[in-house]
Amino acid sequence: IAEDLIRALDAQPDSGIRIVGVFDDRGDQRSDAVVAGYPKLGTVDDLVAYARATRLDLIVFTIPVTAEDRILQMLAKLWVLPIDIRLSAQASKLRLRPRAYSYLGSVPVLDVFDRPMADWDIIAKSVFDRIVGLAMLVALAPVMLVIAAAVGLTSKGPILFRQKRYGFNNEMIEVYKFRSMYVDQGDPTASKLVTRSDPRVTPVGRFIRRTSLDELPQLFNVIKGELSLVGPRPHALQAKAANTLYDQVVDGYFARHKVKPGITGWAQVNGWRGETDTSDKIQRRVEHDLHYIENWSVLFDIRIMLATPLSLIRTTNAY
């Protein structure tokens, strides 16, 4: 079936499709190393890693519709990717209404997952982020200067704290924050949860963490295109809930990385910011992140930004 699909796509040079390879969970005895002229590059697990590294646009799988269990197993692995996923209907005997299909050239496929943002949506969000982010940076510059002075004058060490985090499609980015901990007690990977009256946090740090003013330097990340103003918060490498890594607590956790992370988000304005000492808290945060991804619009972003100042006042579990 895969060979037939590949030949059909290759017969349409103007389709805009460039095939890069084939992935198959079956061993070499059942699946050739080369399929219709294209190499087998690995299994479905390998496909997830490959998609992270190469920025694929589209995955098409050719498992028969009747193989429901195999389809569900594959989708459980693939749905976390910010990629369009289609099921080839070329060889299926099931005939649906024409509107049920989309087409790759003349090849019919069933839409399984769409990337959350594409084409003009990406451009609109990027333009919004940079214009509003720059305006906020200019407007908040006096506040940031006061915070910088307070951090520098009350404890030794750099004013800014740089931390590696996972961003869009699990790419590694470096986010900026005002330093809120004593320099010799910093936690670059966020391996230990910050708690109430944590001795690692400076007096100034306690205030700017509670009010999220320590996040303001991330406006520079927004202007650089690494963060959005609104989106799921970027994931700290060793962040834990109840001493368990987030991605081990919540099934499909990395689906929240299907869009660019943000400074504020739907989870944060609904009270799910700050300490995540239980698995239920991170579960609820992820549920809100996925709701945002599925319902994104510029107006939704504006609504979240307007709600953020009030949510900072209401939230009491940020330390």
Side-chain angles (χ1 to χ4, degrees), residues 107-126:
V107 176
V109 292
L110 294 171
D111 298 349
V112 180
F113 287 120
D114 289 324
R115 70 187 70 191
M117 299 177 197
D119 305 326
W120 288 106
D121 287 344
I122 295 175
I123 295 173
K125 187 169 177 64
S126 179

Side-chain angles (χ1 to χ4, degrees), residues 6-158:
I6 290 171
R7 291 191 180 102
L9 292 174
D10 280 345
Q12 304 172 84
D14 57 347
S15 68
I17 301 294
R18 183 174 67 85
I19 300 170
V20 297
V22 178
F23 292 80
D24 195 337
D25 278 338
R26 298 173 299 175
D28 291 339
Q29 290 183 343
R30 296 185 60 199
S31 174
D32 293 335
V34 177
V35 180
Y38 292 91
K40 189 174 75 173
L41 301 178
T43 65
V44 174
D45 286 329
D46 297 323
L47 172 55
V48 174
Y50 187 87
R52 297 274 193 217
T54 59
R55 289 286 187 91
L56 297 181
D57 299 302
L58 174 67
I59 294 172
V60 183
F61 55 100
T62 58
I63 296 176
V65 176
T66 53
E68 181 178 324
D69 288 343
R70 286 195 66 198
I71 291 175
L72 292 176
Q73 289 170 8
M74 291 182 66
L75 292 181
K77 298 176 181 179
L78 298 176
W79 77 286
V80 300
L81 297 170
I83 291 174
D84 293 333
I85 299 178
R86 305 287 183 259
L87 171 62
S88 173
Q90 185 187 27
S92 174
K93 295 181 180 179
L94 181 66
R95 286 293 173 259
L96 305 176
R97 295 173 58 190
R99 291 183 181 179
Y101 301 103
S102 60
Y103 291 85
L104 304 176
S106 62
V107 176
V109 292
L110 294 171
D111 298 349
V112 180
F113 287 120
D114 289 324
R115 70 187 70 191
M117 299 177 197
D119 305 326
W120 288 106
D121 287 344
I122 295 175
I123 295 173
K125 187 169 177 64
S126 179
V127 169
F128 176 83
D129 282 339
R130 283 184 164 88
I131 291 177
V132 177
L134 183 60
M136 290 179 64
L137 187 61
V138 172
L140 293 170
V143 176
M144 294 176 69
L145 288 173
V146 170
I147 296 171
V151 170
L153 292 172
T154 57
S155 62
K156 295 180 180 179

Side-chain angles (χ1 to χ4, degrees), residues 288-299:
H288 282 76
D289 288 339
L290 297 181
H291 174 84
Y292 168 78
I293 291 171
E294 293 168 1
N295 296 277
W296 173 84
S297 70
V298 172
L299 290 178

Side-chain angles (χ1 to χ4, degrees), residues 230-299:
V230 180
R233 289 293 296 145
H235 171 72
L237 305 189
Q238 295 295 319
K240 297 182 180 71
N243 294 318
T244 305
L245 292 172
Y246 286 170
D247 59 299
Q248 296 175 11
V249 173
V250 181
D251 187 35
Y253 173 80
F254 286 121
R256 62 195 294 281
H257 296 173
K258 294 167 76 168
V259 299
K260 197 179 293 184
I263 296 179
T264 185
W266 184 236
Q268 283 66 44
V269 300
N270 281 280
W272 300 105
R273 62 182 282 265
E275 188 178 20
T276 52
D277 53 344
T278 67
S279 57
D280 180 65
K281 287 182 179 179
I282 190 60
Q283 179 76 51
R284 295 289 289 163
R285 184 185 292 184
V286 172
E287 288 173 1
H288 282 76
D289 288 339
L290 297 181
H291 174 84
Y292 168 78
I293 291 171
E294 293 168 1
N295 296 277
W296 173 84
S297 70
V298 172
L299 290 178

Side-chain angles (χ1 to χ4, degrees), residues 162-229:
R162 293 175 168 84
Q163 187 178 54
K164 298 286 186 182
R165 295 197 176 193
Y166 288 118
F168 172 71
N169 200 24
N170 277 20
E171 292 180 350
M172 197 75 70
I173 59 174
E174 186 177 66
V175 300
Y176 307 127
K177 303 176 71 172
F178 283 120
R179 180 176 56 81
S180 59
M181 292 183 175
Y182 292 104
V183 70
D184 60 341
Q185 299 182 58
D187 187 7
T189 62
S191 59
K192 183 180 178 183
L193 196 68
V194 177
T195 58
R196 187 190 297 273
S197 302
D198 196 312
R200 298 174 297 166
V201 180
T202 68
V204 169
R206 213 174 309 282
F207 173 74
I208 62 176
R209 289 179 70 92
R210 187 170 62 249
T211 56
S212 286
L213 291 172
D214 64 323
E215 312 282 359
L216 288 180
Q218 289 168 30
L219 289 169
F220 290 107
N221 291 111
V222 171
I223 293 170
K224 290 170 63 178
E226 297 167 336
L227 293 182
S228 287
L229 291 171

